[in-house]
C-alpha cells in the first residue's frame, strides 16, 4: 500500500520560508495533481517527496514508513522531469535499464522489465536509438518508461508536458491517464495548467505561496471553491469577479448590489457581515445565458469577440468591470452591440472581503 | 557578425587574412624548408625560398645520432601522464565546484585560480625545493607533478564552466535511479563532458610538451631529459648551431602534438566553444 502523508512540512532557504507547514494525505492509487501559479511551491513540495530537496521541518511518510531523511532511490518513488532528463549518451534501452543496473538486478530481470515497459509505451522500435534521434513525445515516453521499469510505489511527474506542443500535450495527457488506469499506482503530478489538473486528477491540490488552498476532486473545486483564488484558478476562461456591496443582512440572507445597481439576494453561510461591506460576486463565463432566460440579466457591450467555432467568447464591460462570457458559437453576436446575458443565482459564488467563499444554501429571491 | 557587402570590402578582408596567415605560417614554412636543405644551401648568403635539392640528411642524423628518440619517449611519458592526471583531477574538482554545495567552496575555488596569477617562473622557485625535499628532482614523476601544478587551475575552471551548464535534472534523475555520486560522475557526467575532458587533456598535453623552463631546471640527467631542452642543448649551444638539424628534429618533435590535435580537433573545438551559444 503506497499511501503518502505529509505532516507539517516546511521548507526554508536560510531565512526565507517557501513551504509553510503543509499537511496532506494521499491514498494508495490516487492520481493527485499539484496545481498553482509559478513560485507557489508545487515543484518544491514534489522534490521534497522525492528526496531531492531537504525537508526543513516536518515528516514525509510513504507506505507508512517515515522517509523524511531517506535517499531518493530508497523511497520507492520514480520521477519524470520537465526536461525529460534522459542520459544523452545512452540508447533508449540503456536509459531504461540504468536504474535497474544500479540496484544490481539480473540481466534477465532487466531485459524482461524493459521489454514490458517498451510494450506498454510502444517503444519497441526505438530501443536502440539515442535520445537526440527521438521526437519530444517519444522522449517523454522514454522518460516515463524509465520510471515504469523500476516498479515504484509512487510516480512523481514534474510538469512533464510543458515542453510539448499543444496537440502532443493532449495526446500524452491521455496516455498518462491510461497508464495510471493500467498500473494503478499512486501518481503525483505537478502542473501550472489547470486543464491538465482538471482532466487528469482524482483530486487536485491547489497551492499558493507555499500553502495548500484547497484539496478536492476537480468538480468539488469547480463547484465549491473555498476562496476567490481557487475560484479564479480553476476553470477556463477564469471566473468573472464583480465587486458588490452588502445592502442588507438578515440571518443567512444577504442582499448585495451589483455594479449596474441591480440587487440580488442570496442565502449563504457567512461570518460577520454588515450593510455597506464590500464583497465579490463570482460568475463563470460558461454560466451566462444569451438573452433574458435566467434570474439576473446584465446588459453587456462586446468589445472583443473571439470565435472558436463551437463557442464564442465575448469580452465586455459592466460599469468598468471586464467580463468574459462564453456563448454558443452559432449565436449571431456582433461586436459593439449591446446584448443581454443572464445567469441563474444558484450559479453565483459570493466571497467576503478576505476572499473567503460564502457557501450558498438556497436561492430565495431574484432581482429586486 | 558583421557583413562584407561590397567586393572591395571582401577583397580587403581577404588580403588582411592572407597577411595574418603569412605571419603565422611563414616561420613554419621556413623551418620546414630549412630542414630539407643541405648545409651548403642553408648557409649561403642569399637564402632560397624553395630547397634546390630535397635533402633528408638532417632527419636521418636527428633520428640516429643523439638522444632524440629517448627524449621523445620521456616527453611522451611525462606529457601524457600529466595531461591525463590533470584532466582527471580537474574533472573531479570542477564537478565538485559546479554541482555541490559546501562551506568555503568559493574561497577554495578562488585559491586554486589564484595559483594561475603567478608567473610560472615564480612557481618554479617554490616547486624546486619541494621536489628536492621529496627526492623527486631529476625524475619524470617530479616533472609530471610540476606540470600538473601549472595546468590544474585553468583546467579546473574549464571543467567547472562545462559542468555548470549541465542540467541538474540529469544528475537528479540518476540519483532517483539510485546511483552514487561517484557512479553519477563516471557513468553520466563524464561521458557527456567528453569534449571538455579532451580540451583540458590537450591543453595540458601541449603545455607539457612545449615546456622548456621546468624541464631544463628540474631535469639534469641525460636519461630523463625531455625533447624541449634536448633540442636546445644538442643543436643550439655556445659551440655549435646546427639549424638544419634543429629544424628537422623540431619537426619530428612537433609531429605527435600535430597528430593528436588533428585527431581530436573536433572535440577540442566543441569543448572550447560549448556553452557559447544555447
Amino acid at each position: 500500500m503506497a499511501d503518502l502523508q505529509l505532516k507539517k512540512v516546511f521548507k526554508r532557504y536560510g531565512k526565507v520560508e517557501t513551504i509553510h507547514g503543509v499537511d496532506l494525505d494521499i491514498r494508495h492509487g490516487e492520481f493527485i495533481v499539484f496545481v498553482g501559479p509559478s513560485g507557489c511551491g508545487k515543484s518544491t513540495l514534489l522534490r521534497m517527496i522525492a528526496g531531492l530537496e531537504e525537508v526543513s521541518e516536518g515528516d514525509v511518510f510513504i507506505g507508512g514508513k517515515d522517509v523524511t531523511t531517506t535517499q531518493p532511490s530508497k523511497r520507492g518513488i520514480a520521477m519524470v522531469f520537465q526536461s525529460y532528463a534522459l542520459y544523452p549518451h545512452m540508447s533508449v534501452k540503456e536509459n531504461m535499464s540504468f536504474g535497474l543496473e544500479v540496484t544490481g538486478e539480473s540481466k534477465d530481470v532487466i531485459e524482461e522489465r524493459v521489454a514490458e515497459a517498451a510494450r506498454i509505451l510502444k517503444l519497441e522500435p526505438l530501443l536502440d536509438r539515442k535520445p537526440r534521434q527521438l521526437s519530444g513525445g517519444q522522449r517523454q515516453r522514454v522518460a516515463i518508461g524509465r520510471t515504469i521499469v523500476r516498479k515504484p510505489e509512487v510516480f512523481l511527474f514534474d510538469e512533464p508536458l510543458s515542453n510539448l506542443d499543444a496537440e502532443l500535450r493532449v495526446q500524452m495527457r491521455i496516455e498518462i491517464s491510461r497508464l495510471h488506469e493500467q498500473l494503478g499506482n499512486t501518481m503525483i503530478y505537478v502542473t501550472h495548467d489547470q486543464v491538465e489538473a482538471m482532466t487528469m486528477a482524482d483530486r487536485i491540490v491547489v497551492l499558493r505561496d507555499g500553502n495548500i488552498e484547497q484539496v478536492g476532486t476537480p468538480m468539488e473545486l469547480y463547484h465549491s471553491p473555498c476562496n476567490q483564488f481557487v475560484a479564479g484558478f480553476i476553470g477556463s476562461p477564469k471566473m468573472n469577479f464583480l465587486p458588490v456591496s452588502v445592502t442588507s443582512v438578515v440571518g443567512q440572507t444577504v442582499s448585495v448590489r451589483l455594479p449596474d445597481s441591480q440587487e440580488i439576494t442570496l442565502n449563504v453561510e457567512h461570518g460577520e457581515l454588515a450593510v455597506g461591506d464590500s464583497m465579490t460576486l463570482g460568475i463563470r463565463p460558461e454560466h451566462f445565458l444569451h438573452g433574458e432566460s435566467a434570474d439576473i440579466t446584465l446588459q453587456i457591450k462586446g468589445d472583443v469577440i473571439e470565435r472558436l467555432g463551437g463557442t464564442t467568447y465575448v469580452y465586455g464591460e459592466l460599469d468598468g468591470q471586464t467580463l468574459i462570457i462564453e456563448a454558443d458559437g452559432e449565436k449571431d453576436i456582433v461586436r459593439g452591440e449591446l446584448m443581454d446575458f443572464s445567469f441563474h443565482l444558484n450559479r453565483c459564488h459570493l466571497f467576503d472581503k478576505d476572499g473567503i467563499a460564502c457557501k450558498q444554501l438556497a436561492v430565495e429571491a431574484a432581482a429586486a | 557578425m558583421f557583413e562584407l557587402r561590397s567586393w572591395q570590402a571582401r577583397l580587403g578582408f581577404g588580403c588582411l587574412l592572407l597577411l595574418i596567415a603569412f605571419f603565422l605560417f611563414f616561420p613554419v614554412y621556413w623551418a620546414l624548408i630549412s630542414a630539407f636543405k643541405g648545409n651548403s644551401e642553408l648557409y649561403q648568403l642569399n637564402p632560397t625560398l624553395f630547397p634546390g635539392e630535397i635533402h633528408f640528411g638532417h632527419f636521418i642524423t636527428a633520428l640516429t645520432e643523439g638522444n632524440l628518440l629517448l627524449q621523445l619517449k620521456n616527453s611522451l611519458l611525462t606529457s601524457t601522464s600529466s595531461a591525463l592526471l590533470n584532466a582527471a583531477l580537474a574533472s573531479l574538482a570542477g564537478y565538485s565546484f559546479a554541482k555541490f554545495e559546501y562551506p568555503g567552496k568559493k574561497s577554495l575555488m578562488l585559491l586554486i585560480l589564484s595559483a594561475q596569477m603567478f608567473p610560472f617562473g615564480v612557481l618554479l622557485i617554490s616547486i624546486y625545493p619541494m621536489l628536492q625535499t621529496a627526492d623527486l628532482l631529476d625524475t619524470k614523476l617530479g616533472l609530471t607533478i610540476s606540470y600538473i601544478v601549472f595546468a590544474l587551475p585553468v583546467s579546473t575552471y574549464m571543467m567547472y564552466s562545462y559542468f555548470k551548464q549541465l542540467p541538474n535534472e540529469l544528475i537528479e534523475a540518476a540519483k532517483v535511479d539510485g546511483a552514487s555520486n561517484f557512479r553519477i560522475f563516471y557513468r553520466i557526467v563524464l561521458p557527456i563532458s567528453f569534449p571538455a575532458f579532451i580540451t583540458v587533456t590537450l591543453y595540458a598535453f601541449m603545455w607539457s610538451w612545449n615546456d622548456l623552463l621546468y624541464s631544463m631546471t628540474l631535469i639534469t640527467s641525460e636519461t630523463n631529459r625531455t625533447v624541449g631542452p634536448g633540442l636546445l642543448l644538442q643543436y643550439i649551444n655556445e659551440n655549435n648551431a646546427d639549424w638544419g638539424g634543429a629544424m628537422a628534429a623540431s619537426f619530428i618533435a612537433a609531429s605527435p602534438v600535430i597528430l593528436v590535435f588533428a585527431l581530436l580537433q573536433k572535440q577540442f573545438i566543441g569543448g572550447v566553444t560549448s556553452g557559447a551559444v544555447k
Side-chain angles (χ1 to χ4, degrees):
Chain A
M1 287 292 282
D3 48 353
L4 190 147
Q5 287 98 35
L6 301 179
K7 291 186 177 168
K8 288 267 170 289
V9 167
F10 286 85
K11 180 67 195 174
R12 297 182 194 100
Y13 297 97
K15 285 180 182 167
V16 181
E17 191 173 281
T18 55
I19 301 288
H20 316 288
V22 163
D23 283 302
L24 185 64
D25 246 310
I26 296 171
R27 293 183 289 272
H28 172 72
E30 265 193 309
F31 197 118
I32 293 288
V33 175
F34 290 173
V35 74
S38 296
C40 69
K42 53 191 186 298
S43 283
T44 308
L45 205 55
L46 190 83
R47 291 169 58 80
M48 284 161 87
I49 293 170
L52 295 171
E53 209 75 63
E54 215 174 277
V55 177
S56 307
E57 198 184 318
D59 300 301
V60 180
F61 290 86
I62 297 177
K65 274 184 278 177
D66 186 349
V67 295
T68 317
T69 53
T70 309
Q71 292 288 315
S73 57
K74 306 258 165 67
R75 292 187 176 207
I77 54 108
M79 187 157 168
V80 177
F81 293 85
Q82 185 175 359
S83 65
Y84 321 128
L86 299 179
Y87 312 127
H89 58 297
M90 294 185 188
S91 67
V92 168
K93 192 175 177 182
E94 288 165 339
N95 261 284
M96 286 163 72
S97 50
F98 179 73
L100 298 175
E101 270 173 41
V102 170
T103 48
E105 294 290 349
S106 70
K107 272 192 170 173
D108 291 344
V109 172
I110 294 173
E111 286 284 333
E112 187 191 315
R113 293 221 199 146
V114 169
E116 190 192 346
R119 184 185 52 76
I120 293 171
L121 295 161
K122 300 182 187 76
L123 287 170
E124 285 118 323
L126 310 173
L127 285 175
D128 295 323
R129 291 204 197 164
K130 292 274 168 65
R132 64 173 178 275
Q133 297 167 309
L134 304 175
S135 69
Q138 288 168 337
R139 281 180 206 181
Q140 192 53 268
R141 291 218 300 275
V142 176
I144 295 170
R146 196 167 61 177
T147 62
I148 292 177
V149 292
R150 295 187 51 227
K151 293 193 186 288
E153 295 189 49
V154 181
F155 285 84
L156 307 175
F157 295 87
D158 189 5
E159 305 204 31
L161 308 185
S162 56
N163 287 348
L164 303 179
D165 62 45
E167 195 183 338
L168 207 51
R169 200 183 289 192
V170 174
Q171 205 179 314
M172 285 305 296
R173 207 164 72 194
I174 297 164
E175 280 192 37
I176 293 174
S177 294
R178 241 180 232 148
L179 192 71
H180 177 241
E181 198 74 26
Q182 210 170 335
L183 302 174
N185 291 53
T186 309
M187 290 188 177
I188 306 176
Y189 187 103
V190 163
T191 181
H192 60 265
D193 181 346
Q194 59 92 23
V195 177
E196 272 176 29
M198 291 294 283
T199 51
M200 299 171 89
D202 290 328
R203 282 194 301 155
I204 297 174
V205 178
V206 183
L207 288 137
R208 177 170 61 158
D209 298 335
N211 288 306
I212 290 182
E213 293 288 309
Q214 191 172 0
V215 182
T217 65
M219 292 319 279
E220 275 168 10
L221 298 193
Y222 180 79
H223 288 304
S224 313
C226 70
N227 58 31
Q228 205 175 325
F229 173 78
V230 176
F233 201 81
I234 299 294
S236 176
K238 67 179 279 185
M239 185 184 276
N240 294 296
F241 294 114
L242 294 172
V244 293
S245 59
V246 178
T247 53
S248 83
V249 184
V250 182
Q252 289 175 319
T253 308
V254 178
S255 297
V256 294
R257 182 171 291 125
L258 298 179
D260 65 351
S261 299
Q262 289 191 76
E263 208 167 280
I264 61 169
T265 303
L266 298 164
N267 231 8
V268 291
E269 283 176 3
H270 60 83
E272 285 223 348
L273 266 185
V275 173
D277 279 357
S278 296
M279 296 187 85
T280 304
L281 188 78
I283 313 149
R284 294 200 182 277
E286 57 271 32
H287 290 158
F288 278 99
L289 302 170
H290 198 194
E292 296 178 1
S293 51
D295 301 336
I296 301 289
T297 303
L298 304 176
Q299 284 208 313
I300 312 280
K301 190 165 82 175
D303 304 327
V304 177
I305 312 289
E306 283 182 350
R307 294 185 198 283
L308 304 183
T311 50
T312 296
Y313 291 121
V314 181
Y315 295 80
E317 272 200 10
L318 181 75
D319 287 289
Q321 299 299 314
T322 304
L323 286 177
I324 308 170
I325 292 160
E326 187 181 312
D328 187 344
E330 299 300 325
K331 294 273 185 206
D332 190 23
I333 292 167
V334 183
R335 190 162 71 91
E337 205 173 82
L338 210 58
M339 288 167 285
D340 286 340
F341 288 99
S342 59
F343 59 90
H344 289 292
L345 286 176
N346 63 355
R347 295 292 203 179
C348 289
H349 301 263
L350 198 59
F351 304 98
D352 67 16
K353 60 180 185 304
D354 298 321
I356 308 298
C358 302
K359 194 181 168 194
Q360 271 212 64
L361 298 169
V363 180
E364 272 206 347
Chain B
M1 286 295 282
F2 62 95
E3 272 183 70
L4 298 170
R5 290 176 194 277
S6 66
W7 69 268
Q8 290 96 331
R10 282 198 292 274
L11 183 71
F13 188 67
C15 289
L16 187 72
L17 286 182
L18 273 177
L19 194 71
I20 294 169
F22 176 78
F23 272 100
L24 274 176
F25 293 110
F26 188 74
V28 180
Y29 171 73
W30 195 252
L32 187 68
I33 57 163
S34 301
F36 284 105
K37 282 178 185 173
N39 274 342
S40 54
E41 191 182 353
L42 192 64
Y43 295 111
Q44 72 187 25
L45 207 57
N46 296 319
T48 50
L49 269 176
F50 305 100
E53 192 187 334
I54 301 290
H55 180 83
F56 291 99
H58 296 307
F59 286 93
I60 293 162
T61 315
L63 285 168
T64 51
E65 290 171 22
N67 289 325
L68 183 63
L69 288 179
L70 176 68
Q71 289 158 6
L72 278 173
K73 197 184 98 185
N74 289 340
S75 274
L76 205 63
L77 198 69
T78 51
S79 300
T80 310
S81 50
S82 69
L84 289 175
L85 265 169
N86 168 69
L89 292 172
S91 305
L92 286 164
Y95 182 57
S96 147
F97 287 137
K99 297 293 177 193
F100 290 89
E101 289 303 326
Y102 46 89
K105 186 174 96 166
K106 276 188 182 165
S107 321
L108 194 62
M109 193 163 168
L110 205 67
L111 193 72
I112 289 183
L113 275 177
S114 65
Q116 200 65 31
M117 293 170 194
F118 298 98
F120 51 86
V122 174
L123 284 180
L124 188 58
I125 295 171
S126 50
I127 288 171
Y128 192 94
M130 285 164 78
L131 292 180
Q132 195 171 31
T133 313
D135 207 16
L136 287 173
L137 271 185
D138 195 25
T139 63
K140 289 192 266 292
L141 179 63
L143 189 63
T144 303
I145 293 170
S146 70
Y147 286 153
I148 294 172
V149 169
F150 183 78
L152 196 57
V154 170
S155 305
T156 302
Y157 189 75
M158 284 163 85
M159 293 307 293
Y160 162 80
S161 308
Y162 195 88
F163 291 142
K164 196 79 189 156
Q165 47 140 13
L166 286 185
N168 286 336
E169 286 192 347
L170 268 182
I171 295 161
E172 286 173 350
K175 260 187 204 166
V176 173
D177 273 344
S180 64
N181 280 330
F182 195 66
R183 192 193 281 255
I184 293 171
F185 178 70
Y186 76 83
R187 283 292 309 273
I188 309 292
V189 174
L190 216 48
I192 57 182
S193 308
F194 189 63
F197 189 85
I198 291 295
T199 305
V200 162
T201 308
L202 277 182
Y203 163 75
F205 181 85
M206 284 194 281
W207 194 88
S208 319
W209 190 270
N210 294 333
D211 165 63
L212 183 69
L213 183 68
Y214 275 47
S215 179
M216 197 91 160
T217 318
L218 301 175
I219 300 290
T220 47
S221 68
E222 203 57 45
T223 48
N224 286 329
R225 182 152 291 148
T226 58
V227 78
L231 289 179
L232 188 72
L233 294 173
Q234 186 167 347
Y235 293 99
I236 318 289
N237 53 52
E238 47 198 38
N239 307 318
N240 172 24
D242 178 6
W243 288 108
M247 295 305 149
S250 298
F251 267 95
I252 295 168
S255 49
V257 182
I258 296 169
L259 196 72
V260 168
F261 195 84
L263 287 174
L264 300 174
Q265 58 147 329
K266 218 175 171 182
Q267 279 83 359
F268 182 76
I269 301 296
V272 170
T273 58
S274 68
V277 288
K278 223 176 176 183

